[in-house]
């Protein structure tokens, strides 16, 4: 008679790869994403460039003895780059290096502030619309569709003309319709995530809408949100430079990359190339760096690329 073994005491054979997978420590999602991001040379170059430009914008004016609005109309007009004036001077004798650094402060402040406000409004609006669904979702998204039909630059220019000039006005004008992309993105992510078992279990236990968003849905959608955030910053910086180029942005004597480029257009024929070259260079480097970092972050946070 053959012996009978109880299933509880039967020996389960496992292959060597399975045993190695069991022993292997689990790597967190964010640590694995950071590892893949470090392997992307272009993305890391963009991140390093962003950090260097930010540091230069903060520390740069301290390295020079000149102020950004200090003029020298007698002997300091349109001087080429030298040991005394690293980026030369403009037609009013102001140091271009200090003004480029000051313009970096203005542009980065406006870009980051507009992006953070867009993220805050878009995450809350899109999260509520996607989670509640039904008629509320329909009404909220129809509002988004109506605002989406408004021309972005025309709306921004109209607000800049109506409201008094200043940094607050620029940020407000950029964020009036700038949050629509974030709202649509977050709504789509929430519509996918709210069908997961852990969300249904939290709802069955009586979790409120705010708790579901803060504890379960938004943390699991942070990857696409961060990617959208990094791509919103260069768009806001370019919009501010465009408005300043048209004369609707920051007002003199405050320096901005857009205003410096506008003032330096006359140098195309006169030959003072440094007045146009340096602000345009920093503007281009900043936008390229943010876009390269955003593309690398998108690849790093993509769960399909995880091994």
């Amino acid at each position: 008679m053959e012996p009978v073994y109880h299933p509880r005491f039967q020996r389960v054979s496992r292959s060597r790869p399975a045993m190695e997978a069991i022993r292997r420590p689990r790597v967190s999602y964010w640590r694995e994403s950071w590892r893949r991001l470090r392997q992307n040379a272009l993305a890391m170059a963009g991140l390093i460039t962003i950090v260097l430009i930010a540091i230069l914008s903060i520390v740069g004016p301290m390295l020079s003895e000149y102020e950004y609005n200090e003029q020298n109309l007698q002997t300091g007009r349109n001087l080429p780059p030298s040991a005394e004036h690293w980026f030369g001077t403009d037609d009013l004798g102001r140091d271009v290096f200090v003004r480029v650094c000051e313009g970096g402060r203005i542009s980065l402040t406006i870009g980051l502030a507009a992006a953070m406000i867009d993220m805050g409004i878009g995450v809350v609006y899109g999260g509520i619309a996607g989670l509640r669904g039904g008629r509320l979702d329909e009404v909220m998204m129809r509002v988004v569709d109506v605002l989406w039909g408004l021309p972005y630059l025309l709306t921004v220019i109209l607000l800049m003309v109506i409201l008094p000039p200043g940094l607050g006005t620029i940020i407000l004008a950029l964020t009036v319709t700038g949050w629509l992309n974030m709202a649509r993105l977050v709504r789509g992510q929430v519509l996918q995530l709210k069908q997961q078992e852990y969300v249904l279990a939290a709802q069955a236990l009586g979790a409120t809408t705010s708790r579901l968003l803060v504890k379960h849905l938004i943390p699991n959608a942070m990857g696409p949100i961060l990617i959208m955030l990094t791509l919103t910053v260069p768009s806001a910086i370019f919009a501010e430079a465009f408005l300043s180029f048209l004369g609707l942005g920051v007002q003199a004597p405050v320096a901005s990359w857009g205003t410096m480029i506008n003032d330096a257009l006359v140098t195309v024929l006169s030959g003072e190339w440094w007045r146009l070259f340096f602000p345009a260079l920093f503007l281009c480097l900043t936008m390229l760096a943010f876009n390269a970092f955003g593309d690398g972050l998108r690849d790093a946070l993509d769960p399909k690329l995880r091994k």
Side-chain angles (χ1 to χ4, degrees), residues 14-56:
R14 293 187 176 93
S15 61
R16 185 179 181 89
M19 296 300 295
E20 291 180 354
I22 294 175
R23 298 193 196 99
R24 187 183 302 121
R26 295 186 61 184
V27 181
S28 67
Y29 171 75
W30 295 105
R31 184 176 298 178
E32 179 68 15
S33 300
W34 172 244
R35 183 189 65 82
R36 289 201 304 271
L37 181 64
R38 286 184 299 175
Q39 294 176 351
N40 191 328
L42 185 60
M44 292 305 298
L47 178 60
I48 293 173
T49 303
I50 294 170
V51 173
L52 291 178
I53 291 177
I55 293 175
L56 183 62

Side-chain angles (χ1 to χ4, degrees), residues 15-307:
S15 61
R16 185 179 181 89
M19 296 300 295
E20 291 180 354
I22 294 175
R23 298 193 196 99
R24 187 183 302 121
R26 295 186 61 184
V27 181
S28 67
Y29 171 75
W30 295 105
R31 184 176 298 178
E32 179 68 15
S33 300
W34 172 244
R35 183 189 65 82
R36 289 201 304 271
L37 181 64
R38 286 184 299 175
Q39 294 176 351
N40 191 328
L42 185 60
M44 292 305 298
L47 178 60
I48 293 173
T49 303
I50 294 170
V51 173
L52 291 178
I53 291 177
I55 293 175
L56 183 62
S57 299
I58 297 173
V59 181
M62 305 177 187
L63 302 178
S64 177
E65 59 182 0
Y66 302 100
E67 298 291 334
Y68 73 92
N69 57 353
E70 182 180 350
Q71 301 181 8
N72 186 359
L73 299 176
Q74 296 181 351
T75 60
R77 299 177 58 185
N78 293 327
L79 296 179
S82 62
E84 184 178 0
H85 300 282
W86 297 343
F87 290 177
T89 61
D90 61 6
D91 56 340
L92 297 178
R94 297 172 297 190
D95 188 81
V96 175
F97 171 76
V98 179
R99 292 183 62 80
V100 166
C101 296
E102 185 68 21
R105 289 185 181 183
I106 299 296
S107 298
L108 291 177
T109 300
I110 292 176
L112 292 175
M116 294 301 294
I117 294 175
D118 288 347
M119 185 183 71
I121 299 175
V123 166
V124 174
Y125 193 94
I128 294 175
L131 181 59
R132 298 298 295 272
R135 190 173 184 84
L136 179 62
D137 182 29
E138 288 291 331
V139 173
M140 295 179 71
M141 296 316 295
R142 295 297 76 78
V143 173
V144 171
D145 293 338
V146 171
L147 294 177
W148 187 267
L150 300 177
Y152 175 70
L153 284 179
L154 182 60
T155 305
V156 172
I157 292 174
L158 180 62
L159 290 175
M160 293 297 301
V161 172
I162 296 175
L163 299 177
L167 293 182
T169 301
I170 298 175
I171 296 173
L172 176 62
L174 294 178
T175 55
V176 166
T177 59
W179 55 272
L180 300 178
N181 284 326
M182 184 67 73
R184 285 186 167 185
L185 172 68
V186 174
R187 174 181 176 269
Q189 293 294 317
V190 170
L191 287 176
Q192 296 178 3
L193 293 173
K194 74 175 185 178
Q195 303 299 329
Q196 300 295 325
E197 290 80 1
Y198 63 90
V199 179
L200 298 177
Q203 287 178 330
L205 293 174
T208 61
T209 301
S210 59
R211 183 173 180 82
L212 286 173
L213 288 175
V214 174
K215 295 292 184 180
H216 301 287
L217 295 174
I218 300 304
N220 287 281
M222 280 306 296
I225 291 174
L226 290 177
I227 295 171
M228 179 63 71
L229 180 66
T230 58
L231 297 179
T232 303
V233 174
S235 299
I237 291 176
F238 178 78
E240 181 275 327
F242 178 74
L243 292 174
S244 299
F245 179 80
L246 295 179
L248 299 175
V250 295
Q251 302 298 316
V254 180
S256 172
W257 289 337
T259 57
M260 294 181 67
I261 293 173
N262 184 26
D263 295 339
L265 283 179
V266 296
T267 64
V268 175
L269 299 178
S270 59
E272 293 86 11
W273 55 269
W274 56 88
R275 291 177 52 190
L276 178 63
F277 174 76
F278 289 109
L281 174 65
F282 275 81
L283 177 61
C284 293
L285 284 178
T286 303
M287 296 189 63
L288 288 175
F290 270 106
N291 282 285
F293 178 65
D295 291 340
L297 190 63
R298 178 193 59 198
D299 297 337
L301 295 177
D302 190 353
K304 297 178 182 179
L305 300 179
R306 299 191 69 184
K307 298 181 180 179

